[in-house]
Amino acid sequence: AADPDVRCRQPRSTLGRVADVLLGAGVIAGTANLLNLLDLRPGRALKAGVLLGAPLTAGRSGGLAAGPVVAAVGLLPDDLDERVMLGDSGANALGALLGVAMAARTGPVGRAGILAVVAGLTAASEKVSFTKVIQNTRGLRELDEWGRRTS
């Protein structure tokens, strides 16, 4: 049977396709950067990746997020115990893969919305320390500290 979403799509102009690709690329790159911005404490970026990615595992394109989420869950104990470090490469890769999953689930309007949120958070990180916000917010602080080695 034909995919109903494919049958319902209207042909788009070249400009519309280019804009859609650019929005998707922005979501992917922005999400990669955002996860990397969170990777300042053991387990933080992995926890954020699991929280962001877990809902994306449902549905038809859920497989795109399932791999990164399972990998993040698998790495979490060693990262929390400081036996391994996710680092820039790992945080960027996790964020990019989750960005691909988000872009695949949405159309141009959804991608634009996600990109606006990601860009807003990235811009806010230039003025506001995410670490300070996390430390000063009870629920976020407890989640951030959960499972981490005590000094």
Side-chain angles (χ1 to χ4, degrees), residues 117-141:
V117 169
V118 168
L121 288 170
T122 302
S125 76
E126 294 294 324
K127 300 288 183 186
V128 178
S129 165
F130 287 169
T131 295
K132 285 184 182 178
V133 170
I134 290 167
Q135 289 172 345
N136 292 330
T137 307
R138 183 174 177 226
L140 293 177
R141 181 180 59 248

Side-chain angles (χ1 to χ4, degrees), residues 77-115:
D78 287 338
D79 194 15
L80 288 167
D81 200 37
E82 300 178 29
R83 290 188 302 260
V84 299
M85 184 174 82
L86 189 62
D88 290 348
S89 297
N92 277 301
L94 177 59
L97 290 168
L98 294 175
V100 167
M102 285 190 288
R105 295 178 79 88
T106 59
V109 173
R111 290 181 188 123
I114 293 167
L115 183 55

Side-chain angles (χ1 to χ4, degrees), residues 18-109:
V18 168
D20 195 23
V21 168
L22 291 175
L23 287 169
V27 167
I28 294 164
T31 307
N33 184 60
L34 190 59
L35 262 286
N36 191 46
L37 288 173
L38 292 172
D39 192 33
L40 297 176
R41 299 289 183 272
R44 185 181 290 169
L46 289 170
K47 290 174 190 175
V50 170
L51 290 173
L52 176 63
L56 299 172
T57 62
R60 191 177 52 180
S61 60
L64 290 171
V69 168
V70 170
V73 169
L75 288 170
L76 195 54
D78 287 338
D79 194 15
L80 288 167
D81 200 37
E82 300 178 29
R83 290 188 302 260
V84 299
M85 184 174 82
L86 189 62
D88 290 348
S89 297
N92 277 301
L94 177 59
L97 290 168
L98 294 175
V100 167
M102 285 190 288
R105 295 178 79 88
T106 59
V109 173

